[in-house]
């Protein structure tokens, strides 16, 4: 329905859960998005009939316009997100345009320190929680507390929009102390519900290196004698730890003496040296999300492999942040990193939603299938082959709909040139040519490439009806390829 409501060339993607993003290109003017969004809202609200069960849903939309909102991609996403929140507040089933020109936006950009102080006193800050899971077992192991400002007029404001204003001030210390208190309160609630989840909090450098930091932490913990302090974890930034390694190491050791563990956040962005990592007594290394996001490319995967090996050498736990898709998780598991956090699992959510999220969460099937096995990295193309193949088929189906294809020609016609093919005729052939499933895969894989090529020829010649009828064969072959891959993956692994 979503795709049908939009124009050719627009994109729809699912962010996870019930969140979708639209990228609407080449708008004639700054108002023409309105019709499109109305069409989307209408399409969604048409009654659903699923096996005789009737359902109705509505959506809330947030919009921002580039280049009027002259921000980078992440910022644009955040603005659209904030606008969506406004739409929800205004009563749902509607859209809201981000106000990039108004006083409100400029003010939001330049919130003053005193406003933040007042907000703290008025209890306008809350902690959202983002689950961390073990991909092998599918269990939630803990959550990271991420601060949000529930502004009475401006809606939800994220930390990047107000924490920089209070850097190196006493207000940052107050905010940090508030975070510690809230996290302990929350731990108490979850422990009472029988949930032994570790809570991680982010502590700013200025606060962490205050002379009385550990003493104050001890006082806070003492208020909750029933909470085992091992359930609390502090995240500090790698860049911060490098600044004064002796001082920071000392404080880390004191925290650990209290039972509180310490994790090195955004690891990989600080260019720390080996000797630094050796000297720093942190318990966990958290791989920065920028590496994780690009890891399906070879170079970045090598970086991640390197970080994971480092963690193993120095006997640190390792967790990845920014896991946005199942494939990212699969590859991380293969490389030896089982713990993960990211939009592909869950977005940060209000504390009261976590319990039911955890109860209804089941990790992706493809994670549990491979939970007991280890892979050789040269077989990575086989691990990601399903996803690649599904994408390849979708590109062809999309081409039928739109009358053109943007698939590189060689990948389309030559079954040896697509990602799976490249693996098949090099590493694959060298080691697995004796397996029946390996031979069978070649047969169906060749066939599907031939059908794909015929479809594209039909499209080029304007024979859409013929292309459509061939698409049935394509889908049947797709299932065969996926079955073959499954059998082969198992055979190679056991
Ligand atoms: P961080 O500690 O590295 O937290 C991870 C950030 O990445 C969070 O942004 C989270 O919402 C976001 N994130 C998680 N998974 C994904 C994903 O799959 N894709 C993408 N694109 N993003 C993902 P958030 O909540 O905006 O926090 C930003 C930063 O602000 C945090 O980075 C942390 O350094 C700081 N921060 C957050 N809460 C606090 C706090 O209570 N105190 C202090 N001092 N800093 C905080
Ligand atoms: Mg963090
Ligand atoms: Mg981080």
């Amino acid at each position: 329905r979503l795709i049908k409501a939009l124009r050719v060339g627009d994109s729809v993607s699912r962010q996870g859960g019930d969140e979708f993003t639209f990228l609407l290109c080449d708008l004639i003017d700054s108002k023409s998005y309105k019709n499109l969004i109305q069409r989307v809202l209408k399409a969604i609200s048409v009654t659903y009939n699923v096996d005789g069960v009737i359902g109705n849903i509505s959506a809330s939309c947030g919009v921002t316009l580039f280049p009027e909102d002259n921000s980078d991609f992440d910022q644009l996403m955040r603005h659209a997100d904030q606008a969506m929140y406004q739409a929800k507040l205004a009563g749902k089933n509607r859209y809201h345009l981000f106000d990039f020109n108004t006083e409100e936006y400029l003010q939001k950009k330049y919130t003053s320190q005193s406003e933040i102080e007042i907000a703290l006193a008025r209890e306008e800050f809350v902690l959202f929680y983002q689950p961390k899971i073990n991909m092998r077992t599918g269990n939630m192991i803990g959550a990271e507390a991420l601060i949000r400002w529930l502004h009475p007029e401006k809606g939800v404001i994220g930390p990047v929009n107000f924490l920089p204003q209070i850097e190196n001030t006493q207000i940052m210390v107050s905010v940090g102390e508030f975070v510690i208190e809230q996290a302990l309160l929350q731990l108490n609630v979850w422990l009472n519900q029988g949930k032994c989840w570790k809570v991680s909090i982010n502590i700013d450098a200025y606060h962490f290196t205050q002379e009385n930091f550990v003493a104050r932490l001890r006082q806070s913990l003492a208020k909750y004698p029933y909470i085992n302090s091992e359930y609390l974890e502090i995240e500090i930034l790698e860049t911060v730890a490098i600044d004064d390694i002796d001082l920071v190491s000392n404080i880390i050791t004191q925290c650990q003496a209290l039972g509180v563990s310490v994790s090195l956040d955004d690891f990989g962005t600080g260019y720390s040296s080996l000797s630094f990592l050796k000297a720093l007594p942190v318990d966990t290394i958290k791989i920065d999300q920028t590496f994780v996001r690009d890891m399906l490319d070879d170079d970045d995967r090598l970086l991640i492999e390197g970080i994971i090996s480092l963690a193993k050498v120095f006997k640190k736990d390792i967790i990845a942040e920014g896991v946005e898709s199942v494939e990212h998780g699969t590859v991380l598991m293969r490389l030896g990193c089982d713990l993960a956090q990211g939009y592909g699992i869950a977005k940060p959510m209000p504390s009261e939603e976590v319990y039911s999220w955890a109860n209804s969460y089941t990790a992706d099937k493809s994670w549990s299938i491979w939970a007991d096995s280890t892979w050789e990295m040269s077989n990575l193309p086989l691990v990601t082959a399903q996803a690649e193949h599904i994408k390849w088929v979708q590109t062809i189906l999309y081409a039928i709909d739109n009358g053109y294809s943007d698939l590189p020609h060689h990948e389309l016609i030559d079954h040896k040139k697509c990602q799976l093919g490249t693996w098949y005729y090099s590493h694959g052939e060298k080691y697995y040519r004796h397996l029946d499933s390996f031979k069978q895969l070649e047969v169906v894989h060749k066939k599907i490439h031939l059908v794909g090529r015929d479809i594209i020829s039909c499209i080029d010649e304007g024979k859409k009806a013929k292309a459509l009828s061939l698409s049935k064969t394509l889908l049947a072959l797709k299932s065969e390829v996926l079955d073959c891959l499954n059998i082969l993956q198992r055979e190679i692994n056991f």
Side-chain angles (χ1 to χ4, degrees):
R1 285 194 192 174
L2 295 180
I3 291 169
K4 277 196 186 137
L6 299 177
R7 305 160 303 168
V8 174
D10 293 334
S11 316
V12 185
S13 68
R14 181 166 170 217
Q15 298 304 108
D18 58 356
E19 283 193 23
F20 294 81
T21 300
F22 306 128
L23 194 62
L24 310 177
C25 303
D26 298 326
L27 295 175
I28 301 161
D29 57 49
S30 61
K31 296 209 173 70
S32 50
Y33 72 90
K34 291 186 181 175
N35 278 339
L36 281 167
I37 300 294
Q38 291 291 13
R39 248 163 46 196
V40 168
L41 290 175
K42 206 165 150 204
I44 292 174
S45 61
V46 175
T47 302
Y48 295 82
N49 182 342
V50 182
D51 295 338
V53 180
I54 303 297
N56 288 295
I57 56 173
S58 68
S60 305
C61 258
V63 182
T64 195
L65 294 174
F66 180 87
E68 287 86 338
D69 178 357
N70 196 1
S71 311
D72 64 14
F73 180 77
D74 283 340
Q75 194 75 15
L76 287 170
M77 285 291 284
R78 259 195 294 277
H79 289 168
D81 214 40
Q82 277 174 27
M84 179 185 71
Y85 191 78
Q86 298 286 335
K88 274 190 184 174
L89 284 181
K92 303 186 177 165
N93 196 25
R94 66 193 67 214
Y95 65 86
H96 184 88
L97 178 64
F98 181 76
D99 311 299
F100 35 80
N101 268 330
T102 61
E103 270 307 277
E104 188 192 336
Y105 172 48
L106 296 174
Q107 262 178 27
K108 196 177 276 175
K109 244 184 152 170
Y110 303 107
T111 322
S112 68
Q113 294 184 357
S114 62
E115 274 181 275
I116 297 175
E117 254 183 314
I118 294 168
L120 195 59
R122 287 192 188 146
E123 299 181 3
E124 287 173 8
F125 292 108
V126 296
L127 297 182
F128 273 31
Y129 290 87
Q130 186 178 34
K132 295 182 179 181
I133 68 150
N134 181 329
M135 293 180 283
R136 268 179 208 268
T137 61
N139 289 338
M140 175 169 161
I141 51 157
E144 176 172 12
L146 294 157
I147 197 164
R148 299 287 181 266
W149 181 355
L150 301 186
H151 195 286
E153 287 131 37
K154 300 175 194 170
V156 182
I157 307 181
V160 290
N161 292 314
F162 61 90
L163 290 183
Q165 276 83 285
I166 54 168
E167 249 166 30
N168 299 323
T169 70
Q170 208 49 38
I171 311 170
M172 184 65 98
V173 175
S174 308
V175 168
E177 293 196 332
F178 163 83
V179 169
I180 295 175
E181 290 293 327
Q182 290 298 308
L184 287 170
L185 271 173
Q186 190 57 50
L187 263 175
N188 204 27
V189 171
W190 281 332
L191 284 172
N192 283 334
Q193 292 174 335
K195 297 291 184 191
C196 303
W197 292 325
K198 203 165 182 168
V199 169
S200 330
I201 52 175
N202 295 280
I203 295 291
D204 175 72
Y206 181 78
H207 183 193
F208 192 68
T209 50
Q210 294 284 304
E211 213 171 312
N212 62 353
F213 176 76
V214 178
R216 300 276 295 181
L217 180 62
R218 187 182 296 116
Q219 282 171 7
S220 302
L221 287 167
K223 284 196 222 158
Y224 301 89
Y226 303 113
I227 297 180
N228 183 340
S229 51
E230 280 169 14
Y231 289 128
L232 188 67
E233 177 179 62
I234 292 175
E235 297 193 3
I236 54 165
L237 295 177
E238 184 200 13
T239 38
V240 165
I242 302 176
D243 275 351
D244 190 341
I245 179 158
D246 291 335
L247 175 66
V248 170
S249 296
N250 188 309
I251 303 171
I252 292 174
T253 314
Q254 291 185 52
C255 290
Q256 288 164 335
L258 292 177
V260 176
S261 50
V262 180
S263 158
L264 204 52
D265 206 349
D266 296 0
F267 186 80
T269 57
Y271 310 104
S272 47
S273 65
L274 284 178
S275 50
F276 161 88
L277 199 57
K278 189 163 166 239
L280 206 70
V282 290
D283 302 275
T284 304
I285 287 176
K286 202 166 182 188
I287 312 174
D288 187 62
Q289 49 182 288
T290 50
F291 298 113
V292 175
R293 201 170 302 150
D294 301 329
M295 67 180 286
L296 299 181
D297 297 333
D298 284 347
D299 288 349
D300 282 282
R301 202 184 69 240
L302 288 174
L303 268 176
I304 293 208
E305 275 187 77
I307 296 177
I308 295 174
S309 315
L310 271 184
K312 290 200 166 139
V313 170
F314 291 115
K315 304 203 167 44
K316 317 278 187 207
D317 289 334
I318 185 114
I319 181 164
E321 68 178 7
V323 174
E324 294 191 350
S325 75
V326 173
E327 284 74 45
H328 285 92
T330 309
V331 176
L332 282 161
M333 266 167 79
R334 300 289 144 256
L335 293 173
C337 174
D338 293 343
L339 307 183
Q341 167 186 357
Y343 292 173
I345 298 158
K347 282 195 152 186
M349 59 185 95
S351 59
E352 57 277 9
E353 288 176 17
V354 178
Y355 186 85
S356 62
W357 178 87
N359 279 343
S360 63
Y361 176 73
T362 39
D364 195 273
K365 260 209 323 277
S366 53
W367 288 348
S368 51
I369 288 179
W370 306 113
D372 304 323
S373 48
T374 47
W375 277 86
E376 224 210 288
M377 265 339 279
S378 32
N379 284 328
L380 183 80
L382 186 59
V383 177
T384 51
Q386 269 110 333
E388 286 300 327
H389 189 68
I390 291 169
K391 227 163 50 189
W392 184 86
V393 170
Q394 272 168 351
T395 315
I396 292 178
L397 296 178
Y398 188 80
I400 301 178
D401 267 358
N402 290 282
Y404 68 90
S405 150
D406 46 14
L407 205 66
H409 206 58
H410 62 274
E411 277 195 26
L412 181 69
I413 50 170
D414 194 341
H415 66 284
K416 295 187 176 176
K417 293 275 167 57
C418 67
Q419 288 212 19
L420 180 63
T422 314
W423 169 85
Y424 191 98
Y425 296 101
S426 54
H427 188 87
E429 197 152 60
K430 192 161 160 201
Y431 294 100
Y432 309 114
R433 62 204 297 175
H434 58 284
L435 296 177
D436 282 344
S437 54
F438 187 77
K439 290 175 208 151
Q440 182 57 26
L441 177 62
E442 180 176 37
V443 177
V444 279
H445 186 227
K446 256 185 186 167
K447 261 196 215 161
I448 198 165
H449 269 269
L450 285 175
V451 175
R453 190 176 64 183
D454 287 349
I455 291 180
I456 298 297
S457 307
C458 289
I459 295 170
D460 289 345
E461 291 159 20
K463 298 176 186 159
K464 188 168 176 177
K466 180 142 185 248
L468 267 176
S469 76
L470 279 172
S471 68
K472 289 189 194 102
T473 322
L474 186 81
L475 287 172
L477 282 167
K478 171 183 139 183
S479 309
E480 274 187 55
V481 172
L482 294 184
D483 289 345
C484 266
L485 281 170
N486 243 322
I487 298 170
L488 179 62
Q489 286 175 341
R490 275 166 191 285
E491 264 186 292
I492 287 183
N493 220 245
F494 295 114

